[in-house]
Amino acid sequence: MAPSGPPVGLPRLLRSGSRSDAPLRLSAHVERLGPPPLGGDVRRGPREALIRAVDAGGLRGRGGSGFPMARKLRAVADGARRPVVVANGTEGEPASTKDKLLLQSAPHLVLDGVMLAAEAVGARRAIVCVEQAARRAVLSMEAAVDERRATRLDPIEIELAAAPSGYVVGEESALVRWLNGGPPKPTFVPPRPFEKGVGGRPTLVQNVETLAHLALLARYGPDWFREIGTPGHAGSALVTVSGAVSRPGVYEIAPGTPIAEMITACGGAPDDARAILVGGYAGRWLDLDHHLQLGLSDDQLGQVGASLGAGVVVVLPRSGCGLAETTRIARYLAGESSGQCGPCVNGLEAIAAGLDQLHRGQSGAGTAATLRRWAGDVAGRGACHHPDGAARLVASALEVFSDDIDWHRRHGRCLVDAGGPRPATSHAGRSG
Amino acid sequence: MRQRRVRLRVNPITCEGHGLCAELLPEWVRLDDWGYPIVNADPVPPELVEHARRAVAACPTLALLLRLE
Ligand SMILES: Cc1cc2nc3c(=O)[nH]c(=O)nc-3n(C[C@H](O)[C@H](O)[C@H](O)COP(=O)(O)O)c2cc1C
Ligand code: SF4
Ligand code: SF4
């Protein structure tokens, strides 16, 4: 049966209805979307038409950095040796489940993208990395790879790699080091993976959602791709929403969707929300007294120094404590340091301890200022961007929850922990 | 001919925080609260380049690097 033409509207990557998280098998996938537009070979060098389409479509990385995919494809394809493609499905971010859902429910969409990327850069090796602990994602991918092997769909073999768990494992240099037989810890760059990665070859590391978008963009073209999203954030986006909503989970949205609308769609009450953490644990707190109508896209979030990052939205209710939540996350991030760099190891630990004092109302008059200075000092000082993310989180918390810091200090404890009411000041000045 | 600019960089994985570099090149390197060097990211001014080279040579773990650009 012929596919019924390009998907209109949302969802694109996910499916709606019951059993939408069950793996879509190869036959159903091809029936739905047609076969992937593969050239059938992996010639050396760039496949220009495809790279130009990606460029025109404005597809950017969905693993957190938002880097334009076309630029990376070109750099890797122009390298001195045959490149390797690595699909990053490790998803170490605790507040995110979108990659696991995608791998589980639409394995062939991801694998189409992997093969298209391999052709785009002329790679003869393609490796898909999935967190070993994500059992359903691993099983779905194993079955999908077997199906493709049996039907000889792809020009090259797809290798599956079951990665260890951990926040930093998915950082691209850590992933490459692990694939090369080392520990899953970042390396000092340069050389970056796109220059010298798996087996010393130029290596394209791409998030699995980015690759799934590629599978559709290659089928339906850049104009279709841009029908959803904003000029600077084209295509749909997977977002994992959690916190003060009654229907937490993964949503596929049009970038630009206002925060208030997103919260409502997930069964939350925008007026009862105090702030959101956007981007991930390495993201930013946004005060909803001012930003309720801000659009969830990198262009709009960028205006306030935030980004959609790995597509994470955590909703903090007015009844919750932002300092408690930030302390918990900062502790987690400190614990996930790979332990290699002095400023990361010592700085993140010190920052978490300082936050804990703020939260318990035991801080000194200068604690917040010291934390602000430490955040500035650790940013950019690790081999990888891990400390930068922690610094961003903490700096935004000090800003958004500044009233709370005073209030905790005055009371010498956290009244939310104690079940007490919030102060009236934090409700003031809301513009909706 | 324009002279090539140089910048100082630390490899934070190999740096052990001896602080020697901050002693030898206080104009360009300070230490954070944990004893690890914070290096000025601007191009090293010509009059400091020789000092910078000496600090690089003195780092016991070869963690201090001069990058030509
Ligand atoms: C601490 C840290 C953790 C990361 N974890 C992930 C991850 O779990 N999954 C992912 O796709 N990218 C992760 N990244 C980003 C990758 O380094 C890389 O930018 C990304 O995989 C590239 O794919 P994209 O351009 O398609 O987003 C992480 C980065 C950092 C600094
Ligand atoms: S910055 Fe932190 S997480 Fe990154 S390599 Fe250094 S110690 Fe590891
Ligand atoms: S001298 Fe070398 S090891 Fe010591 S602090 Fe400076 S860069 Fe680090």
Side-chain angles (χ1 to χ4, degrees), chain A residues 40 44 54 70 84 127 135 158 172 182 198-199 202 215 250 254 274 330 336 340 383 394 398 416 428:
Chain A
R44 182 84 201 256
V54 173
V84 174
I127 310 165
R135 285 311 298 159
I158 296 162
E172 57 178 11
V198 175
V250 178
R274 167 80 195 285
E336 290 294 312
Q340 303 185 103
V394 173
L398 294 174
V416 171

Side-chain angles (χ1 to χ4, degrees), chain A residues 123-139:
Chain A
R124 275 199 296 229
R125 249 193 108 182
I127 310 165
V128 181
C129 301
V130 187
E131 187 194 2
Q132 173 133 46
R135 285 311 298 159
R136 293 176 72 185
V138 172
L139 289 174

Side-chain angles (χ1 to χ4, degrees), chain A residues 188-189 342 346 373-374 381 383, chain B residues 9 11-12 32-33 36-38:
Chain A
F188 183 62
V189 292
N346 297 283
R373 180 167 60 80
W374 283 346
R381 302 249 333 285
Chain B
R9 245 198 109 186
N11 177 341
D32 65 19
D33 287 8
Y36 291 87
I38 302 180

Side-chain angles (χ1 to χ4, degrees), chain A residues 2 15 43 83 355 398 426:
Chain A
R15 305 190 303 282
R43 274 174 281 118
L355 277 168
L398 294 174
S426 59

